[in-house]
Amino acid sequence: MSISRRSFLKGLMATSTAALVGPGLIQAANAAASDTAGQWKVTGSHWGAFRARVYAGKVQEIKAFEADKYPTDMLKGIKGIIYSPSRIRYPMVRYDWYLNREKSDTTQRGDNRFIRVTWDEAITLFHDELERMQTQYGPWAIHAGSTGWRSTGQVHSCGNHMARAIGMHGYTVNKVGDYSTGAGQTIMPYVLGTTEVYAQGTSWPLILKNSKTIVLWGTDLAKNLQVGWNCETHESFEYLEQLKEKIARKEIRVISVDPVKSKTQNYLNSEQQYINPQTDVPFMLAIAHTLYKENLYDKKFIDTYALGFEDFVPYLLGTTKDKIEKTPEWAEQICGIKADDIREFARMLVKERTQIMVGWSIQRQQHGEQPYWMAAVLATMLGQIGLPGGGISYAHHYSSVGVSSTGAAGPGAFPRNPDKPEKRIHKNKDYKGYSSTIPVARWVDAILQPGKKIQANGATITLPDLKMMVFSGCNPWHHHQDRNNMKKAFHKLETVVTVDFTWTATCRFSDIVLPACTQWERNDLDLYGSYSGRGIIAMHKLVDPLFQSKTDFEIFTLLARKLGQEKDYTQGKSEMQWVKELYDGCVEANKASFPMPDFETFWKEGFVDFGKGKDWTRQAAFREDPEINSLGTPSGFIEIFSRKIDRYGYKECQGHPMWFEKTERSHGGPGSDKHPIWLQSCHPNKRLHSQMCDSEQFRATYAVKGREPIYLNPQDAKSRGIKDGDIVRVFNDRGQLLAGAVVSDNYPAGVARIEEGAWYGPVDEKIGSLDTYGDPNTLTLDLATSELSQATSANTCQVQYEKFVGKAPAVTAFGGPKEIS
Amino acid sequence: MTETTVSEINETRASLYWWFATLLTKELDKEQLAMYFCGEGVTLLDQLEQEPDFTASVQKIKSALTTILAMNKPELELAADFSQIFLTDTKAGAPPYASVYLSKSGQLFEQPHQDMIDLFKAQGLTVDPEFNEPADHIAVQLDYLGNLIIQDVNGVSEAQINFIEVHILSWLEQFVKAADKVNNSGFYQGVCQLLQAYIKQDIVAIMPD
């Protein structure tokens, strides 16, 4: 052995290295387990329940829960979330903020140095900022109310933890509404008495038995039913399968009113009624006009169940101030459907039992209240509301809506509010004239235009002068519109704190980033089937929190400890004690009708199944007796005309549904000369919003040259010299992005799709910089639907695109924050 | 050569691997960094610099230290460099995990991690739960290597050579290249280069004739 030549190092150790060497990283293990194959555990997710084999501290394989007969392909992406290179591994602080706090150079956001801090220091910094905000400004300066699709699990529900812990410190600004259904959930209580978007719908077996025609209005069931708000059961897919058979046997006719051939249409092999984007209201008005003129509408139903038809008809006939009769000929010019076809469509609707299923897409656009309201007016004119297989629904594409409910109670959740009597440290509720609650999509406006007064759902809102944002399990740099506008807004913020398990763009634009673990690194429980209430699923911790991540429960317990309120926060209970408490509460609530095993048995078995529910018809009770079972509207009836809304005096949402031209619209509409393509940014087929985009191998199954796909019409693509697989630059006056071309006959001329949730990865922090991966909200318009909802108008978006030539910049969206310089 | 000499050399080798492990485990605090401005760190770097194969990388480290020293908060600047290379950007940085370089998935905790776990398991060892990093972290590997060496009181076992070749050299070059692409003071890029130079020399030295 020739080691003599190394003698120059002799004596080195003794003289110098000893002081420089730190403690070891390896230690003796406890008695090694003889386990060689690992252990199967059960857990849940938005994508469904599954069993996971865990061996040597690692999730090795995943298989769908056996009760789920239609598991989503996305289960293949789960491991990629846990072991993603984009995971936040340690508490991190933006370096310039660390040095200069509120005086930091905020224009650096998005191109940052970060430094690692200990949990102790991170929580201290977080706490000190909350403290500074409350003392230097007041509750109006902190927005800690934005929430999104948290990971599933009732104990660790991250929004609740954030709200409770921060609530123990002081008051903050909060939000109302959400990005999915902002317009729908605001308008529908005026019209049908509930949000409708989050309401159980008529059971599928009744629809399959009674409907002769199903109209899918801008809804893609097969795509969106893959995920659920709680643990998803996918029972709806059994019914879609039956529907497919019935269509083949010509027993049911299904027609999609959609510019695009949807996944559902292709699966069902059903029909399509093409319509120009954003022109549903003219089409609906012309249908109503036909029904009225041809005397096909149900007068008796309207007389018994609805109010205000007579106030609406003059608008239809063109005798009100716009002087436009809403004839099929008028509509044809806008919606692109031949007048005679509109008439035929109207006649078809009344011919037999017709179920109208409306999706959420048409209310995620400017004046999104109108198509929802007008669809309800149409359904009222058809007179089938409350009949099995008839009427209208706004959520058959969502979670387990349409799967009959068992009626069993699900588990409660970790409390969102501080317990009474409250020991809130800062009791100051003086918002200095600013509003304490703002519509969810208006927070960027608040940062940019503090003090501005806006109308919202009958109230006047004064936008607060926000200085600090706190996000937990929430990714506004995916779900909010207009990235470049957001960059400007973030220059004005003093402090941004984000809790997440993965380096979303929101984290990258933050100052303090706290690593939560994923939902599979903690114990929890969840309802199985959000609307069906099919059962309770145990969520066994698969592996311990990776790196320095912690559960939401632990993170906010640390903050509460800082407030001297740890015991108040946890109520002295551990994670498992909370799991048990929520389960026991569920046992108690169900004891009369659904006897449940004790906790230990449940935890060992992994689930409790409540069986199949009873079929049910939406609005049947109202139809049976509208006096006793009145709707939740001001009058208790269906409101074709709303006096309440009329009294608000809004310009873009008046007393009855109306057609309003859009700020931008394709097919000859405003702005289409410069930016001719309508960009739709619907819910993704291979993700849950932005969740799972960081799952590397799964993303690779749909990405095109590493970029998010843009789905293009063949003619549009050809005329621009673009082939399938090319990189495309998509742009308008708001921004620009790169995406990978998928050319498909499913898309008509003038229409393109980029699914929302694609992670934002700009080449640099500068305003206007090119997004390298393909986040459609780089291009969308940050414009309120109307004064009523102030909701997002993401689907009002015109773009142009071209073949990208030259060397495409590397994708920066994944793997953590970038530093460009 | 006496057995004592072999043992001394092994102690030196182990200490150097542990030193690299320490540098790649976490950021230097103020006191630790001070030793590289004036103290044991300077002595060590000076000695290493004399070895021709190490000169370039030691000079890179020294030059970085000079740059950093001129800054307001040297230890924080260096901590930010450490983050940039190892802790945040796994795509443009140099994540210190073999899995990133050796697995097709590009995920963490892939086969190289499993291999280390199996190796540890067989010997009743585990990664310190406080550290809680994948077992294919470069610092864990170097720490383990130091232990292997120190146990070989009288020479160089095949296990040492095998470990270096299979578990470290399989990805070290890619790791060092990835670090080189990051643009900052260059301290950790220098450390990685020095590690590579040292291990290259070491493996030649300990190979049986």
Side-chain angles (χ1 to χ4, degrees), chain B residues 2 19 24 28 31 60 69 78 109 117 153 174 176 191:
Chain B
T2 65
W19 175 64
L24 297 172
L28 297 172
E31 289 70 34
K60 193 174 176 76
L69 186 60
L78 197 56
F109 291 87
I117 289 283
V153 188
Q174 291 180 68
V176 176
V191 169

Side-chain angles (χ1 to χ4, degrees), chain A residues 523-540:
Chain A
N523 291 301
D524 214 320
L525 82 172
D526 197 17
L527 179 65
Y528 188 40
S530 298
Y531 290 85
S532 59
R534 182 62 200 245
I536 311 292
I537 194 92
M539 297 175 69
H540 294 152

Side-chain angles (χ1 to χ4, degrees), chain A residues 484-654:
Chain A
N484 289 309
N485 196 46
M486 288 179 75
K487 280 185 178 170
K488 284 180 213 155
F490 270 56
H491 290 172
K492 287 188 73 185
L493 287 170
E494 292 182 3
T495 303
V496 184
V497 181
T498 302
V499 185
D500 211 313
F501 59 80
T502 186
W503 276 108
T504 62
T506 302
C507 295
R508 293 166 58 180
F509 280 80
S510 297
D511 300 307
I512 301 174
V513 180
L514 302 178
C517 60
T518 70
Q519 64 185 102
W520 303 293
E521 293 152 58
R522 63 201 196 191
N523 291 301
D524 214 320
L525 82 172
D526 197 17
L527 179 65
Y528 188 40
S530 298
Y531 290 85
S532 59
R534 182 62 200 245
I536 311 292
I537 194 92
M539 297 175 69
H540 294 152
K541 175 160 81 174
L542 303 182
V543 292
D544 287 327
L546 298 185
F547 304 99
Q548 298 300 317
S549 66
K550 291 183 186 294
T551 67
D552 294 273
F553 180 75
E554 281 181 284
I555 292 170
F556 285 101
T557 299
L558 289 175
L559 184 62
R561 182 185 296 167
K562 207 86 200 164
L563 306 174
Q565 300 192 46
E566 181 178 356
K567 263 252 163 83
D568 300 282
Y569 185 78
T570 64
Q571 295 179 2
K573 292 186 278 260
S574 67
E575 176 196 62
M576 273 315 282
Q577 284 169 321
W578 273 104
V579 177
K580 184 175 184 309
E581 171 152 318
L582 295 188
Y583 180 81
D584 289 345
C586 193
V587 173
E588 180 63 23
N590 285 320
K591 70 176 174 198
S593 38
F594 296 95
M596 293 165 68
D598 64 20
F599 178 73
E600 287 67 28
T601 311
F602 157 71
W603 195 251
K604 192 162 163 258
E605 290 294 315
F607 66 99
V608 173
D609 188 282
F610 296 129
K612 278 204 167 183
K614 267 201 206 116
D615 290 341
W616 178 82
T617 301
R618 180 149 191 85
Q619 318 285 29
F622 169 67
R623 189 178 184 102
E624 194 182 295
D625 192 331
E627 302 280 332
I628 292 173
N629 306 312
S630 59
L631 299 180
T633 56
S635 63
F637 295 100
I638 298 167
E639 297 206 0
I640 294 171
F641 185 93
S642 166
R643 284 186 196 174
K644 205 170 167 185
I645 294 178
D646 186 52
R647 276 201 299 267
Y648 295 156
Y650 296 156
K651 213 174 130 216
E652 298 191 313
C653 190
Q654 301 182 19

Side-chain angles (χ1 to χ4, degrees), chain A residues 78-370:
Chain A
I78 300 277
K79 269 174 69 182
I81 293 178
I82 304 174
Y83 300 109
S84 170
S86 297
R87 279 205 55 165
I88 307 163
R89 291 173 275 151
Y90 325 92
M92 304 295 294
V93 178
R94 190 166 70 84
Y95 185 50
D96 196 60
W97 187 91
Y98 188 80
L99 294 177
N100 301 305
R101 303 295 150 93
E102 70 271 21
K103 294 181 185 66
S104 81
D105 177 4
T106 54
T107 63
Q108 287 183 15
R109 287 188 207 276
D111 174 19
N112 289 310
R113 280 158 85 71
F114 278 83
I115 62 163
R116 170 161 68 177
V117 296
T118 62
W119 267 106
D120 192 40
E121 188 172 11
I123 294 290
T124 302
L125 291 170
F126 184 8
H127 167 263
D128 290 355
E129 274 307 282
L130 289 172
E131 187 64 22
R132 185 177 70 81
M133 288 288 150
Q134 293 287 358
T135 49
Q136 191 175 332
Y137 304 116
W140 50 266
I142 313 168
H143 191 346
S146 216
T147 49
W149 274 67
R150 87 269 192 274
S151 299
T152 58
Q154 294 296 93
V155 172
H156 291 285
S157 196
C158 58
N160 288 23
H161 283 280
M162 176 174 72
R164 182 172 168 88
I166 292 177
M168 286 174 149
H169 182 256
Y171 293 95
T172 65
V173 171
N174 264 296
K175 60 105 183 181
V176 60
D178 61 49
Y179 280 83
S180 297
T181 66
Q185 65 173 271
T186 309
I187 185 67
M188 294 319 290
Y190 291 96
V191 180
L192 291 175
T194 79
T195 68
E196 297 298 309
V197 292
Y198 299 128
Q200 177 60 296
T202 300
S203 308
W204 275 108
L206 295 175
I207 292 170
L208 291 165
K209 193 173 158 205
N210 297 288
S211 301
K212 292 292 172 232
T213 306
I214 298 174
V215 178
L216 303 177
W217 207 301
T219 188
D220 198 348
L221 313 177
K223 169 168 70 67
N224 295 330
L225 286 167
Q226 296 178 98
V227 296
W229 177 250
N230 296 90
C231 187
E232 184 47 44
T233 55
H234 300 120
E235 285 155 290
S236 317
F237 284 88
E238 180 186 336
Y239 302 121
L240 289 184
E241 206 166 71
Q242 291 172 24
L243 182 59
K244 185 182 169 83
E245 288 161 18
K246 282 186 176 270
I247 292 167
R249 293 198 300 266
K250 302 203 184 310
E251 291 169 15
I252 297 183
R253 205 176 155 190
V254 174
I255 303 159
S256 294
V257 179
D258 206 315
V260 167
K261 289 191 185 78
S262 68
K263 183 180 180 185
T264 308
Q265 186 193 331
N266 286 323
Y267 167 73
L268 292 175
N269 199 18
S270 54
E271 301 164 56
Q272 179 192 18
Q273 173 57 62
Y274 167 82
I275 183 169
N276 286 340
Q278 303 192 84
T279 64
D280 305 272
V281 171
F283 181 36
M284 289 172 179
L285 284 169
I287 293 170
H289 187 274
T290 302
L291 296 176
Y292 186 79
K293 282 288 184 180
E294 298 187 4
N295 206 15
L296 297 171
Y297 67 106
D298 191 333
K299 290 178 224 48
K300 198 168 158 238
F301 183 85
I302 292 174
D303 286 347
T304 316
Y305 298 100
L307 285 182
F309 187 62
E310 61 287 355
D311 298 312
F312 168 70
V313 170
Y315 173 74
L316 206 55
L317 300 180
T319 59
T320 52
K321 55 180 180 218
D322 73 345
K323 303 285 179 229
I324 295 168
E325 191 173 358
K326 309 305 176 303
T327 62
E329 282 72 17
W330 164 79
E332 177 182 336
Q333 298 306 312
I334 305 169
C335 70
I337 305 171
K338 294 257 175 292
D340 283 343
D341 293 345
I342 296 175
R343 289 191 184 89
E344 269 313 305
F345 197 91
R347 291 168 199 142
M348 173 202 69
L349 293 179
V350 290
K351 212 166 113 196
E352 292 178 289
R353 186 67 58 83
T354 300
Q355 172 78 45
I356 301 173
M357 295 180 177
V358 184
W360 295 351
S361 58
I362 58 172
Q363 54 88 57
R364 292 186 88 241
Q365 56 182 243
Q366 197 182 8
H367 318 117
E369 299 86 356
Q370 304 306 315

